[in-house]
Amino acid sequence: MTDLADPSLASLALELRAQCAAELDDRPVGHFHDRPWLRQAFLRVPREHFVPDQVWWPTARDDGLHHVIDRHERPRAWLKGVYQPGASLITQVADGAVRPEDGPTDQPFTSAASCSAVVVDMLHYLDPGPDDIALEIGTGSGYSTALLAQRVRPGNVVTVEIDEQLAARARAALADLGLHPTVVAGDGELGYLARARYTRIISTAAVREIPQAWLDQAAPGAIVVTPLYGPFGHDALLRLVADGRGGGEGRLVTGVAFMKVRGQRTAHRSFEELGWPTVDGRWPAYADVEYRVTVRDSRQEIRIIVGTGLGADTAPRRPCVG
């Protein structure tokens, strides 16, 4: 949680936030389009408040290592990184075994402050309302939670983080801004039964298979937004409408790249077993076909429907790590 006591840095933060919003305005689909509340929330919530003072930059240098940006040493560079729309800031490596003070690393990322563009786009597709009951999987820094709580009453927001230290830090950061959602330290794949049923469910970690608990805890017509790992070599953002009976149907809307929930980091089932079709050659662009996802009787199926592309994107792609 960062206090920008220097007036010039506080002014720079406001300037960079406005610039970032303007860049997101230019995105052709999703993001702020038809979501004025989301743009207002973005301008209202200080992203820098949720980013640790030391983070790893997501792009490796020539030495193959991811270097640390330290707010105290390079405050302006740190702030510019916070508000670069396509930059995810790595907040945890190797489940915390590697610390920022250990310096540059090539170890696997396990948590990040997802890039602004993806955070906003996911909330666009979630499209929550003030009266929704929302479940978020993967609290992380708490930034996405704060944006969500600008739209949904904070008392109706439950967010689950598997890492207890990250959960505690996010809880404190949210409270500093007067936001008091229910922050649970636990396994997000299990959802949070005590507050079900949910009308909005969003995951900031990717899954190979949609956890059944999410759909069991979803109300009829609930919107579920999650990155779904597939044979593209990265993830696709899934927007699914739950049927309230443990199933649902939806579509893949764009390409993303996220860290997986801990319980699904290792592939235990083939793509065929997870319901993916076989494609000869290159996978079709989202704008040209519809990737329809159906979950029935605890089994997911992905079908390619030709001629019904919805213009969500141009191709499966890897925009930034979430």
Side-chain angles (χ1 to χ4, degrees):
M1 290 159 281
T2 302
D3 177 19
L4 299 179
D6 184 334
S8 66
L9 291 177
S11 177
L12 177 61
L14 290 173
E15 178 184 338
L16 292 172
R17 196 180 312 154
Q19 289 178 3
C20 186
E23 290 190 47
L24 296 181
D25 284 335
D26 292 336
R27 300 290 173 116
V29 293
H31 300 88
F32 293 142
H33 290 276
D34 300 319
R35 305 286 190 271
W37 69 268
L38 185 51
R39 194 179 197 281
Q40 293 166 9
F42 184 85
L43 292 174
R44 188 182 305 125
V45 175
R47 177 171 163 85
E48 67 274 12
H49 176 73
F50 294 92
V51 177
D53 290 345
Q54 294 177 311
V55 293
W56 289 271
W57 190 248
T59 304
R61 294 184 182 178
D62 292 341
D63 59 7
L65 300 177
H66 298 268
H67 286 246
V68 175
I69 302 178
D70 190 317
R71 178 186 76 90
H72 300 290
E73 295 177 357
R74 302 175 61 201
R76 292 181 177 273
W78 179 88
L79 263 179
K80 289 178 180 179
V82 167
Y83 282 109
Q84 187 168 318
S88 298
L89 302 176
I90 309 307
T91 58
Q92 187 189 75
V93 172
D95 293 327
V98 177
R99 303 168 301 169
E101 50 265 38
D102 297 329
T105 184
D106 60 359
Q107 296 302 299
F109 308 151
T110 49
S111 189
S114 299
C115 67
S116 300
V118 166
V119 171
V120 167
D121 210 26
M122 291 181 70
L123 289 172
H124 170 96
Y125 288 108
L126 187 69
D127 193 21
D131 297 326
D132 279 311
I133 308 296
L135 172 66
E136 179 187 51
I137 310 302
T139 314
S141 70
Y143 175 64
S144 178
T145 316
L147 291 177
L148 181 60
Q150 301 299 306
R151 179 64 166 173
V152 180
R153 286 191 293 272
N156 283 0
V157 175
V158 177
T159 180
V160 184
E161 169 58 51
I162 197 167
D163 187 290
E164 292 188 6
Q165 289 186 332
L166 290 179
R169 187 185 185 281
R171 186 183 296 110
L174 290 161
D176 282 346
L177 297 184
L179 301 173
H180 300 280
T182 300
V183 181
V184 178
D187 186 350
E189 283 195 74
L190 303 178
Y192 188 65
L193 186 59
R195 295 292 300 278
R197 292 188 159 195
Y198 301 100
T199 56
R200 292 292 187 275
I201 298 176
I202 184 170
S203 175
T204 65
V207 296
R208 300 176 189 272
E209 185 174 23
I210 304 163
Q212 188 58 46
W214 298 359
L215 296 175
D216 290 341
Q217 294 173 27
I223 304 299
V224 179
V225 172
T226 182
L228 182 68
Y229 181 72
F232 308 129
H234 59 270
D235 310 313
L237 190 62
L238 167 64
R239 181 185 185 277
L240 181 140
V241 180
D243 61 15
R245 301 186 301 276
E249 184 170 272
R251 63 184 179 91
L252 306 182
V253 295
T254 189
V256 293
F258 274 78
M259 301 164 199
K260 295 178 184 66
V261 296
R262 291 190 185 183
Q264 296 193 28
R265 287 178 183 171
T266 304
H268 297 292
R269 302 172 65 190
S270 67
F271 285 121
E272 181 180 8
E273 291 175 312
L274 292 172
W276 286 90
T278 300
V279 172
D280 294 326
R282 186 175 180 177
W283 287 87
Y286 299 112
D288 298 331
V289 302
E290 178 181 332
Y291 287 91
R292 189 172 299 170
V293 180
T294 304
V295 181
R296 294 283 185 275
D297 301 322
S298 301
R299 177 176 175 80
Q300 71 182 22
E301 178 185 16
I302 298 91
R303 291 176 293 155
I304 298 175
I305 311 299
V306 179
T308 58
L310 299 176
D313 205 341
T314 56
R317 60 187 175 93
R318 188 184 182 92
C320 66
V321 177

